[in-house]
């Protein structure tokens, strides 16, 4: 196996940093101006987390490409970390948004699009009754409340190393078998050990132990971990999860926000999962804030029975702009005409092409790295074989290599998702886009370990 020469890596990193500064003067100038009125110099704190001395600033985006303020056009494999999985500005969605904006953006009254989108969500995911909101974080927060309300139980179970948005209960991790607050948890309301049990992914024994006391309202699970590399479930894992939830009267919530990459009905439809509730956000409205949570008829009956009708507006589930006319128009156009069943077939083919290309480079150089794919999403990780849980995946992170590959790609006009090495295919992505990544990735590796 090839080993990485760390001093060579540091040398290359210096060279790439210098190249980045030289080729992005306008972004550098805007980053300086932004210090005046933006906290951290960016509109949202995590936009600082790019390699290079400052973020690149965007001039415009279209399809699977965007152009920065220095006039460089990039292949975008990040796609707004799934927010733009439908591609940037698909024409049908833009037209529908423009048309709806002119007719009313938000009214606190339903529009007909809501019925179309509800029916489509039901068809896609097989879960019967739906509500709409603006972010996946909100969808998750609302279902946790509903699950606690209908079960009369307080605890929530999440996977170790999972991420479900900025939801208080989910900021928990395992340390020597104990539940502790995740490192970096900003201003926790309470110690997450009070609200949450944490189990390793793919560990049914640990899950049974967590559910045994009968005080768990719900499990909030991604079908595959996607925020610490991609960690796929063992073959019988989801059957076991479903059976244990049923046995202990715990509701099963599946978060499809990222795993929608597995197909039009997400991992749930593709692998016949049977969640009690399902959440999803990010991509539904082609980037217009849109999210949804659905539930089975059986759960809906319990929810309705426990509803405080008069206090519905202040009960902790909802939001003034949730379910607004604009986001429903965007969802209808996106689901109806952009992220279609046929589009997913093409996107998956590109995912396979991407994976094959990276795999070939890894094999040629005998690197102890691997790549995992889930539908149209793929991610490479710096360990020899697929991780079976979050701890193993975390051990496969390598911040130096990560930064080098991201910056090398960025300097050659390819954008990978920050924080990890994830690439996503949109309906607008082409084989040439994928091949561009493969050749630049090969170049980055050649330079590092010799061609
Ligand atoms: C699986 C999953 N669920 C929920 C969220 C939260 O999405 P948002 O930040 O759009 O609320 C994320 C964000 O990355 C996610 O990966």
């Amino acid at each position: 196996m090839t080993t990485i020469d760390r001093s060579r890596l540091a040398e290359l990193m210096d060279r790439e940093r210098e190249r980045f500064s030289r080729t992005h003067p306008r972004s550098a100038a805007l980053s300086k101006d932004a210090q005046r009125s933006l906290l951290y110099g960016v509109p949202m704190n995590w936009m600082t987390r790019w390699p290079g001395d400052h973020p690149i600033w965007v001039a415009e985006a279209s399809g699977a490409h965007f152009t920065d303020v220095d006039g460089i056009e990039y292949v975008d494999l990040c796609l707004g970390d799934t927010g733009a999985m439908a591609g940037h500005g698909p024409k049908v969605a833009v037209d529908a948004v423009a048309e709806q904006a002119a007719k009313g953006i938000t009214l606190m009254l339903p529009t007909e699009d809501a019925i179309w989108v509800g029916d489509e969500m039901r068809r896609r995911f097989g879960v019967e009754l739906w509500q709409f909101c603006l972010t996946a974080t909100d969808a998750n927060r609302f279902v946790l409340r509903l699950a606690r309300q209908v079960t009369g139980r307080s605890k929530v179970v999440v996977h170790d190393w999972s991420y479900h948005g900025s939801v208080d209960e989910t900021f928990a991790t395992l340390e020597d078998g104990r539940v502790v607050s995740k490192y970096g948890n900003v201003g926790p309301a309470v110690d997450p050990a009070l609200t949450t049990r944490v189990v390793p992914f793919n560990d049914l024994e640990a899950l049974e132990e967590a559910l045994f006391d009968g005080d768990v309202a719900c499990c909030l699970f991604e079908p595959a971990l996607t925020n610490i590399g991609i960690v796929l479930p063992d073959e019988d894992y989801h059957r076991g999860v479903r059976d244990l939830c049923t046995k202990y009267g715990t509701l099963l919530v599946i978060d499809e926000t990222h795993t929608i990459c597995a197909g039009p009905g997400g991992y749930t439809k593709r692998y016949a999962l049977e969640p009690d509730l399902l959440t999803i956000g990010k991509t539904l409205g082609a980037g217009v804030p849109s999210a949804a949570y659905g539930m089975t008829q059986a759960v809906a009956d319990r929810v309705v029975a426990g509803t405080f009708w008069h206090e519905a507006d202040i009960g902790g589930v909802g939001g003034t702009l949730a379910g607004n006319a604009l986001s429903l128009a965007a969802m209808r156009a996106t689901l109806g005409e952009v992220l279609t069943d046929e589009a997913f077939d093409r996107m998956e083919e590109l995912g396979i092409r991407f994976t094959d290309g990276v795999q070939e480079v890894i094999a040629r150089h005998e690197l102890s790295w691997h790549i995992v794919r889930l539908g149209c999403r793929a991610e490479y990780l710096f360990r020899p074989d697929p991780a079976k849980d979050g701890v193993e995946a975390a051990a496969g992170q390598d911040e130096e290599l990560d930064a080098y590959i991201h910056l090398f790609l960025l300097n050659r006009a390819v954008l990978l998702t920050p924080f990890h090495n994830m690439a996503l295919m949109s309906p607008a992505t082409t084989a040439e886009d994928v091949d561009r990544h493969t050749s630049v990735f090969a170049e980055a590796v050649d330079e590092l370990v010799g061609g």
Side-chain angles (χ1 to χ4, degrees), residues 56-69 71-80 83-91 94 286-287 415 426 428:
I56 48 177
W57 292 67
V58 175
E60 59 182 306
S62 174
H65 291 199
F66 72 93
T67 305
D68 73 9
V69 290
I72 303 168
E73 187 181 330
Y74 297 79
V75 172
D76 188 359
L77 296 166
C78 165
L79 296 169
M85 180 175 160
H88 296 290
K91 184 165 170 11
V94 170
L415 186 83
S426 74

Side-chain angles (χ1 to χ4, degrees), residues 177-241:
R178 278 182 319 115
V179 175
V180 298
S181 197
K182 262 187 194 167
Y183 182 72
N185 185 4
V186 178
V190 294
D191 178 351
L194 295 173
T195 58
T196 308
R197 299 214 174 98
V198 180
V199 296
F201 194 72
N202 276 328
D203 189 339
L204 290 171
E205 226 174 275
L207 179 59
E208 178 142 32
E209 209 174 297
L211 300 183
F212 189 78
D213 286 347
D215 56 354
V216 176
C218 69
C219 293
L220 174 59
F221 286 169
E222 272 195 292
L225 295 182
T226 64
N227 285 292
I228 182 72
I230 297 174
V231 182
L232 297 175
D234 293 342
E235 208 182 315
D236 57 354
Y237 183 58
H238 283 295
R239 184 69 262 155
V241 168

Side-chain angles (χ1 to χ4, degrees), residues 15 17-25:
R15 186 194 72 187
R17 258 201 217 96
E18 187 279 321
R19 176 173 170 155
F20 180 82
S21 295
R22 188 161 35 80
T23 49
H24 296 86

